[in-house]
Amino acid sequence: MSGFWTRFHEILHRPVVGWSRALLAVSVVLLVLAFTAPLWHIHMVAPQYPQGLDLHVYAHTIEGGREGRDLNEINTLNHYIGMRALDRAEFTDLDWIPFALGALVLLTLRVAAIGDVRALVDLAVIAVYFSLFSAGRFVYKLWVYGHNLDPQAPFEVEPFMPPVLGTQQLANFTVTSLPGPATFWLGGFVTLVVLLAAAHVLVPGRIGARSA
């Protein structure tokens, strides 16, 4: 067992190979793009809204379709069933996500410039944690909005869980919730970093040894 740990620590102190550094530097573009497109898209269709109502969740804000008019319409509908208004101030997670993405950019560039395998593994762990924590918070926020309903609302409905992924029927609305482009870009970044870290740790004879 001691031989395994000695070998493992030796691998961790090896420098990241050149082509991996280049890939890491390029992957930062995926994080930057994540600021420019929605992370999630919710589309609601009902007989009175045949064109549908759209809600876009970005890393830093929420926006309604039709130049923001859909958000006002959705909040009006939510008021009748006692759901809190979808207000940017309520989405406190969007205050720290941009800083987290910025930190990932800086950490990735640091690993690309001077990092060793240990730093690459740390980056992979942080990236996975950020992804899972953000997804968990998003699911929790949806649960809170669907369950904390005002009992004095004009229409009484049972607490519900809005769809996280896929299509669900809510009253006379067909609601579809799907990831946006930014989520795929973030997923691509996380996948790349994890694969690079795994390659350097699991096949050091072919990868890590070349940089020795």
Side-chain angles (χ1 to χ4, degrees):
M1 181 62 71
S2 60
F4 167 80
W5 286 112
T6 300
R7 176 66 172 165
F8 180 66
H9 283 284
E10 177 190 342
I11 292 171
L12 292 180
H13 285 89
R14 289 178 176 174
V16 177
V17 298
W19 60 268
S20 295
R21 295 182 187 276
L23 283 176
L24 286 171
V26 172
S27 72
V28 168
V29 175
L30 297 175
L31 294 176
V32 175
L33 287 174
F35 285 100
T36 66
L39 287 164
W40 221 263
H41 174 215
I42 299 175
H43 183 66
M44 305 168 59
V45 177
Q48 65 270 42
Y49 298 102
Q51 301 302 318
L53 300 173
D54 292 289
L55 181 68
H56 305 284
V57 181
Y58 288 79
H60 55 91
T61 190
I62 57 173
E63 291 184 0
R66 297 186 303 158
E67 300 180 346
R69 295 192 299 273
D70 284 357
L71 181 56
N72 293 330
E73 196 69 31
I74 291 171
N75 281 333
T76 299
L77 294 169
N78 287 346
H79 167 74
Y80 285 108
I81 64 171
M83 183 182 287
R84 287 186 299 173
L86 298 173
D87 181 49
R88 168 62 181 83
E90 291 282 340
F91 285 77
T92 54
D93 291 3
L94 303 182
D95 293 332
W96 62 263
I97 286 180
F99 291 98
L101 290 176
L104 281 177
V105 168
L106 295 177
L107 289 173
T108 303
L109 291 176
R110 181 183 182 278
V111 175
I114 60 174
D116 55 12
V117 175
R118 181 191 299 273
L120 177 57
V121 171
D122 288 342
L123 176 62
V125 172
I126 293 172
V128 171
Y129 172 77
F130 167 74
S131 301
L132 295 178
F133 180 79
S134 299
R137 286 289 299 176
F138 177 64
V139 173
Y140 172 73
K141 280 288 186 180
L142 289 179
W143 187 91
V144 168
Y145 267 91
H147 284 75
N148 290 356
L149 302 178
D150 184 357
Q152 304 302 320
F155 295 99
E156 183 177 352
V157 297
E158 291 293 326
F160 63 95
M161 178 65 185
V164 178
L165 183 64
T167 300
Q168 182 177 332
Q169 191 70 30
L170 297 175
N172 65 329
F173 277 88
T174 301
V175 183
T176 301
S177 178
L178 295 172
T183 294
F184 291 107
W185 291 331
L186 286 174
F189 168 80
V190 174
T191 300
L192 174 63
V193 171
V194 169
L195 289 177
L196 288 177
H200 280 76
V201 171
L202 298 178
V203 287
R206 295 186 177 184
I207 296 180
R210 295 179 184 177
S211 62

mmCIF file of all heavy atoms in Angstrom, residues 41-70:
data_model
loop_
_atom_site.group_PDB
_atom_site.id
_atom_site.type_symbol
_atom_site.label_atom_id
_atom_site.label_comp_id
_atom_site.label_asym_id
_atom_site.label_seq_id
_atom_site.Cartn_x
_atom_site.Cartn_y
_atom_site.Cartn_z
ATOM 1 N N HIS A 41 -33.993 26.887 -20.066
ATOM 2 C CA HIS A 41 -35.107 27.487 -20.796
ATOM 3 C C HIS A 41 -36.390 26.777 -20.395
ATOM 4 O O HIS A 41 -36.473 25.547 -20.446
ATOM 5 C CB HIS A 41 -34.874 27.343 -22.304
ATOM 6 C CG HIS A 41 -36.035 27.801 -23.129
ATOM 7 N ND1 HIS A 41 -36.404 27.195 -24.308
ATOM 8 C CD2 HIS A 41 -36.920 28.811 -22.937
ATOM 9 C CE1 HIS A 41 -37.461 27.806 -24.811
ATOM 10 N NE2 HIS A 41 -37.800 28.784 -24.005
ATOM 11 N N ILE A 42 -37.387 27.556 -19.966
ATOM 12 C CA ILE A 42 -38.692 27.019 -19.597
ATOM 13 C C ILE A 42 -39.735 27.595 -20.545
ATOM 14 O O ILE A 42 -39.829 28.817 -20.715
ATOM 15 C CB ILE A 42 -39.040 27.361 -18.133
ATOM 16 C CG1 ILE A 42 -37.992 26.741 -17.191
ATOM 17 C CG2 ILE A 42 -40.429 26.860 -17.774
ATOM 18 C CD1 ILE A 42 -38.181 27.119 -15.731
ATOM 19 N N HIS A 43 -40.506 26.703 -21.174
ATOM 20 C CA HIS A 43 -41.508 27.101 -22.166
ATOM 21 C C HIS A 43 -42.873 26.605 -21.698
ATOM 22 O O HIS A 43 -43.049 25.434 -21.367
ATOM 23 C CB HIS A 43 -41.158 26.497 -23.526
ATOM 24 C CG HIS A 43 -42.086 26.899 -24.633
ATOM 25 N ND1 HIS A 43 -42.182 28.192 -25.094
ATOM 26 C CD2 HIS A 43 -42.962 26.166 -25.380
ATOM 27 C CE1 HIS A 43 -43.069 28.254 -26.065
ATOM 28 N NE2 HIS A 43 -43.569 27.044 -26.255
ATOM 29 N N MET A 44 -43.862 27.513 -21.664
ATOM 30 C CA MET A 44 -45.195 27.207 -21.161
ATOM 31 C C MET A 44 -46.225 27.462 -22.263
ATOM 32 O O MET A 44 -46.262 28.563 -22.828
ATOM 33 C CB MET A 44 -45.516 28.074 -19.943
ATOM 34 C CG MET A 44 -44.497 27.967 -18.827
ATOM 35 S SD MET A 44 -44.709 29.256 -17.542
ATOM 36 C CE MET A 44 -46.400 28.906 -17.024
ATOM 37 N N VAL A 45 -47.058 26.453 -22.538
ATOM 38 C CA VAL A 45 -48.089 26.578 -23.571
ATOM 39 C C VAL A 45 -49.437 26.246 -22.954
ATOM 40 O O VAL A 45 -49.574 25.302 -22.174
ATOM 41 C CB VAL A 45 -47.801 25.629 -24.756
ATOM 42 C CG1 VAL A 45 -48.918 25.723 -25.793
ATOM 43 C CG2 VAL A 45 -46.458 25.965 -25.396
ATOM 44 N N ALA A 46 -50.453 27.047 -23.297
ATOM 45 C CA ALA A 46 -51.818 26.825 -22.840
ATOM 46 C C ALA A 46 -52.762 27.317 -23.927
ATOM 47 O O ALA A 46 -52.347 28.047 -24.836
ATOM 48 C CB ALA A 46 -52.078 27.565 -21.530
ATOM 49 N N PRO A 47 -54.044 26.920 -23.876
ATOM 50 C CA PRO A 47 -54.990 27.379 -24.907
ATOM 51 C C PRO A 47 -55.017 28.896 -25.070
ATOM 52 O O PRO A 47 -55.137 29.406 -26.184
ATOM 53 C CB PRO A 47 -56.335 26.844 -24.406
ATOM 54 C CG PRO A 47 -55.960 25.621 -23.624
ATOM 55 C CD PRO A 47 -54.669 25.946 -22.965
ATOM 56 N N GLN A 48 -54.904 29.618 -23.951
ATOM 57 C CA GLN A 48 -54.924 31.074 -24.043
ATOM 58 C C GLN A 48 -53.569 31.660 -24.443
ATOM 59 O O GLN A 48 -53.462 32.865 -24.683
ATOM 60 C CB GLN A 48 -55.391 31.710 -22.726
ATOM 61 C CG GLN A 48 -54.462 31.475 -21.530
ATOM 62 C CD GLN A 48 -54.803 30.233 -20.755
ATOM 63 O OE1 GLN A 48 -55.100 29.205 -21.335
ATOM 64 N NE2 GLN A 48 -54.764 30.348 -19.438
ATOM 65 N N TYR A 49 -52.530 30.804 -24.468
ATOM 66 C CA TYR A 49 -51.189 31.231 -24.894
ATOM 67 C C TYR A 49 -50.661 30.224 -25.922
ATOM 68 O O TYR A 49 -49.724 29.458 -25.647
ATOM 69 C CB TYR A 49 -50.233 31.307 -23.706
ATOM 70 C CG TYR A 49 -50.644 32.315 -22.661
ATOM 71 C CD1 TYR A 49 -51.262 31.908 -21.478
ATOM 72 C CD2 TYR A 49 -50.419 33.679 -22.861
ATOM 73 C CE1 TYR A 49 -51.649 32.831 -20.522
ATOM 74 C CE2 TYR A 49 -50.800 34.610 -21.902
ATOM 75 C CZ TYR A 49 -51.405 34.172 -20.734
ATOM 76 O OH TYR A 49 -51.781 35.087 -19.786
ATOM 77 N N PRO A 50 -51.250 30.196 -27.113
ATOM 78 C CA PRO A 50 -50.844 29.193 -28.111
ATOM 79 C C PRO A 50 -49.401 29.350 -28.575
ATOM 80 O O PRO A 50 -48.758 28.369 -28.959
ATOM 81 C CB PRO A 50 -51.826 29.434 -29.269
ATOM 82 C CG PRO A 50 -52.289 30.839 -29.087
ATOM 83 C CD PRO A 50 -52.321 31.069 -27.609
ATOM 84 N N GLN A 51 -48.875 30.582 -28.520
ATOM 85 C CA GLN A 51 -47.478 30.795 -28.902
ATOM 86 C C GLN A 51 -46.520 30.462 -27.759
ATOM 87 O O GLN A 51 -45.309 30.353 -27.985
ATOM 88 C CB GLN A 51 -47.280 32.252 -29.341
ATOM 89 C CG GLN A 51 -48.149 32.678 -30.508
ATOM 90 C CD GLN A 51 -47.924 31.812 -31.727
ATOM 91 O OE1 GLN A 51 -46.783 31.476 -32.062
ATOM 92 N NE2 GLN A 51 -49.009 31.428 -32.387
ATOM 93 N N GLY A 52 -47.067 30.340 -26.575
ATOM 94 C CA GLY A 52 -46.261 29.980 -25.427
ATOM 95 C C GLY A 52 -45.623 31.175 -24.729
ATOM 96 O O GLY A 52 -45.520 32.264 -25.287
ATOM 97 N N LEU A 53 -45.236 30.960 -23.482
ATOM 98 C CA LEU A 53 -44.504 31.935 -22.677
ATOM 99 C C LEU A 53 -43.130 31.350 -22.387
ATOM 100 O O LEU A 53 -43.003 30.159 -22.080
ATOM 101 C CB LEU A 53 -45.245 32.219 -21.368
ATOM 102 C CG LEU A 53 -46.661 32.789 -21.493
ATOM 103 C CD1 LEU A 53 -47.323 32.848 -20.119
ATOM 104 C CD2 LEU A 53 -46.635 34.165 -22.137
ATOM 105 N N ASP A 54 -42.113 32.180 -22.466
ATOM 106 C CA ASP A 54 -40.743 31.685 -22.315
ATOM 107 C C ASP A 54 -40.038 32.376 -21.158
ATOM 108 O O ASP A 54 -40.197 33.588 -20.939
ATOM 109 C CB ASP A 54 -39.946 31.925 -23.597
ATOM 110 C CG ASP A 54 -40.440 31.075 -24.747
ATOM 111 O OD1 ASP A 54 -40.212 29.853 -24.705
ATOM 112 O OD2 ASP A 54 -41.062 31.626 -25.677
ATOM 113 N N LEU A 55 -39.245 31.568 -20.433
ATOM 114 C CA LEU A 55 -38.411 32.079 -19.352
ATOM 115 C C LEU A 55 -36.995 31.556 -19.569
ATOM 116 O O LEU A 55 -36.786 30.350 -19.721
ATOM 117 C CB LEU A 55 -38.942 31.614 -17.999
ATOM 118 C CG LEU A 55 -38.176 32.103 -16.772
ATOM 119 C CD1 LEU A 55 -38.358 33.612 -16.603
ATOM 120 C CD2 LEU A 55 -38.657 31.380 -15.509
ATOM 121 N N HIS A 56 -36.032 32.462 -19.594
ATOM 122 C CA HIS A 56 -34.633 32.108 -19.810
ATOM 123 C C HIS A 56 -33.835 32.429 -18.545
ATOM 124 O O HIS A 56 -33.896 33.556 -18.041
ATOM 125 C CB HIS A 56 -34.043 32.875 -20.995
ATOM 126 C CG HIS A 56 -34.817 32.710 -22.262
ATOM 127 N ND1 HIS A 56 -34.748 31.565 -23.027
ATOM 128 C CD2 HIS A 56 -35.685 33.534 -22.899
ATOM 129 C CE1 HIS A 56 -35.520 31.696 -24.089
ATOM 130 N NE2 HIS A 56 -36.111 32.875 -24.030
ATOM 131 N N VAL A 57 -33.112 31.437 -18.039
ATOM 132 C CA VAL A 57 -32.277 31.613 -16.853
ATOM 133 C C VAL A 57 -30.816 31.689 -17.297
ATOM 134 O O VAL A 57 -30.267 30.724 -17.836
ATOM 135 C CB VAL A 57 -32.464 30.455 -15.858
ATOM 136 C CG1 VAL A 57 -31.600 30.680 -14.618
ATOM 137 C CG2 VAL A 57 -33.931 30.306 -15.474
ATOM 138 N N TYR A 58 -30.211 32.855 -17.083
ATOM 139 C CA TYR A 58 -28.794 33.064 -17.403
ATOM 140 C C TYR A 58 -27.947 32.883 -16.140
ATOM 141 O O TYR A 58 -28.481 32.756 -15.029
ATOM 142 C CB TYR A 58 -28.579 34.464 -17.962
ATOM 143 C CG TYR A 58 -29.107 34.679 -19.362
ATOM 144 C CD1 TYR A 58 -30.459 34.904 -19.575
ATOM 145 C CD2 TYR A 58 -28.257 34.659 -20.466
ATOM 146 C CE1 TYR A 58 -30.955 35.113 -20.863
ATOM 147 C CE2 TYR A 58 -28.742 34.866 -21.751
ATOM 148 C CZ TYR A 58 -30.090 35.092 -21.936
ATOM 149 O OH TYR A 58 -30.581 35.291 -23.202
ATOM 150 N N ALA A 59 -26.643 32.931 -16.306
ATOM 151 C CA ALA A 59 -25.742 32.815 -15.158
ATOM 152 C C ALA A 59 -25.838 34.028 -14.247
ATOM 153 O O ALA A 59 -25.458 33.954 -13.074
ATOM 154 C CB ALA A 59 -24.300 32.649 -15.633
ATOM 155 N N HIS A 60 -26.375 35.142 -14.757
ATOM 156 C CA HIS A 60 -26.390 36.372 -13.979
ATOM 157 C C HIS A 60 -27.776 37.005 -13.848
ATOM 158 O O HIS A 60 -27.961 37.938 -13.065
ATOM 159 C CB HIS A 60 -25.450 37.400 -14.618
ATOM 160 C CG HIS A 60 -25.764 37.669 -16.063
ATOM 161 N ND1 HIS A 60 -26.606 38.661 -16.463
ATOM 162 C CD2 HIS A 60 -25.357 37.039 -17.196
ATOM 163 C CE1 HIS A 60 -26.706 38.651 -17.781
ATOM 164 N NE2 HIS A 60 -25.950 37.675 -18.253
ATOM 165 N N THR A 61 -28.787 36.503 -14.585
ATOM 166 C CA THR A 61 -30.099 37.111 -14.532
ATOM 167 C C THR A 61 -31.154 36.157 -15.074
ATOM 168 O O THR A 61 -30.830 35.057 -15.546
ATOM 169 C CB THR A 61 -30.118 38.424 -15.353
ATOM 170 O OG1 THR A 61 -31.340 39.131 -15.094
ATOM 171 C CG2 THR A 61 -30.008 38.135 -16.840
ATOM 172 N N ILE A 62 -32.421 36.565 -14.995
ATOM 173 C CA ILE A 62 -33.513 35.840 -15.637
ATOM 174 C C ILE A 62 -34.217 36.795 -16.588
ATOM 175 O O ILE A 62 -34.343 37.987 -16.301
ATOM 176 C CB ILE A 62 -34.514 35.257 -14.615
ATOM 177 C CG1 ILE A 62 -35.094 36.364 -13.720
ATOM 178 C CG2 ILE A 62 -33.868 34.180 -13.770
ATOM 179 C CD1 ILE A 62 -36.198 35.895 -12.807
ATOM 180 N N GLU A 63 -34.669 36.274 -17.714
ATOM 181 C CA GLU A 63 -35.327 37.098 -18.719
ATOM 182 C C GLU A 63 -36.546 36.373 -19.272
ATOM 183 O O GLU A 63 -36.542 35.151 -19.405
ATOM 184 C CB GLU A 63 -34.373 37.425 -19.880
ATOM 185 C CG GLU A 63 -33.244 38.363 -19.522
ATOM 186 C CD GLU A 63 -32.395 38.722 -20.732
ATOM 187 O OE1 GLU A 63 -32.708 38.223 -21.847
ATOM 188 O OE2 GLU A 63 -31.435 39.497 -20.570
ATOM 189 N N GLY A 64 -37.569 37.116 -19.569
ATOM 190 C CA GLY A 64 -38.737 36.559 -20.219
ATOM 191 C C GLY A 64 -38.655 36.729 -21.719
ATOM 192 O O GLY A 64 -37.905 37.581 -22.225
ATOM 193 N N GLY A 65 -39.396 35.910 -22.425
ATOM 194 C CA GLY A 65 -39.449 36.037 -23.876
ATOM 195 C C GLY A 65 -40.181 37.296 -24.296
ATOM 196 O O GLY A 65 -40.725 38.025 -23.454
ATOM 197 N N ARG A 66 -40.173 37.558 -25.592
ATOM 198 C CA ARG A 66 -40.820 38.743 -26.165
ATOM 199 C C ARG A 66 -40.340 40.014 -25.465
ATOM 200 O O ARG A 66 -41.109 40.838 -25.009
ATOM 201 C CB ARG A 66 -42.336 38.634 -26.088
ATOM 202 C CG ARG A 66 -42.939 37.480 -26.886
ATOM 203 C CD ARG A 66 -44.452 37.538 -26.858
ATOM 204 N NE ARG A 66 -44.962 37.518 -25.485
ATOM 205 C CZ ARG A 66 -46.159 37.970 -25.127
ATOM 206 N NH1 ARG A 66 -46.973 38.501 -26.022
ATOM 207 N NH2 ARG A 66 -46.554 37.909 -23.867
ATOM 208 N N GLU A 67 -38.978 40.136 -25.406
ATOM 209 C CA GLU A 67 -38.346 41.320 -24.831
ATOM 210 C C GLU A 67 -38.770 41.573 -23.388
ATOM 211 O O GLU A 67 -38.935 42.717 -22.960
ATOM 212 C CB GLU A 67 -38.640 42.555 -25.691
ATOM 213 C CG GLU A 67 -38.125 42.421 -27.120
ATOM 214 C CD GLU A 67 -38.421 43.658 -27.959
ATOM 215 O OE1 GLU A 67 -39.238 44.488 -27.508
ATOM 216 O OE2 GLU A 67 -37.830 43.787 -29.041
ATOM 217 N N GLY A 68 -38.930 40.503 -22.646
ATOM 218 C CA GLY A 68 -39.232 40.595 -21.227
ATOM 219 C C GLY A 68 -40.697 40.578 -20.871
ATOM 220 O O GLY A 68 -41.053 40.432 -19.683
ATOM 221 N N ARG A 69 -41.580 40.709 -21.848
ATOM 222 C CA ARG A 69 -43.009 40.773 -21.542
ATOM 223 C C ARG A 69 -43.540 39.463 -20.978
ATOM 224 O O ARG A 69 -44.476 39.457 -20.179
ATOM 225 C CB ARG A 69 -43.794 41.165 -22.798
ATOM 226 C CG ARG A 69 -43.496 42.568 -23.295
ATOM 227 C CD ARG A 69 -44.498 43.015 -24.345
ATOM 228 N NE ARG A 69 -44.483 42.149 -25.524
ATOM 229 C CZ ARG A 69 -43.669 42.328 -26.555
ATOM 230 N NH1 ARG A 69 -42.766 43.299 -26.544
ATOM 231 N NH2 ARG A 69 -43.727 41.524 -27.612
ATOM 232 N N ASP A 70 -42.954 38.332 -21.399
ATOM 233 C CA ASP A 70 -43.423 37.032 -20.903
ATOM 234 C C ASP A 70 -43.233 36.902 -19.401
ATOM 235 O O ASP A 70 -44.032 36.248 -18.719
ATOM 236 C CB ASP A 70 -42.705 35.889 -21.620
ATOM 237 C CG ASP A 70 -43.234 35.660 -23.022
ATOM 238 O OD1 ASP A 70 -44.187 36.361 -23.408
ATOM 239 O OD2 ASP A 70 -42.695 34.790 -23.730
#
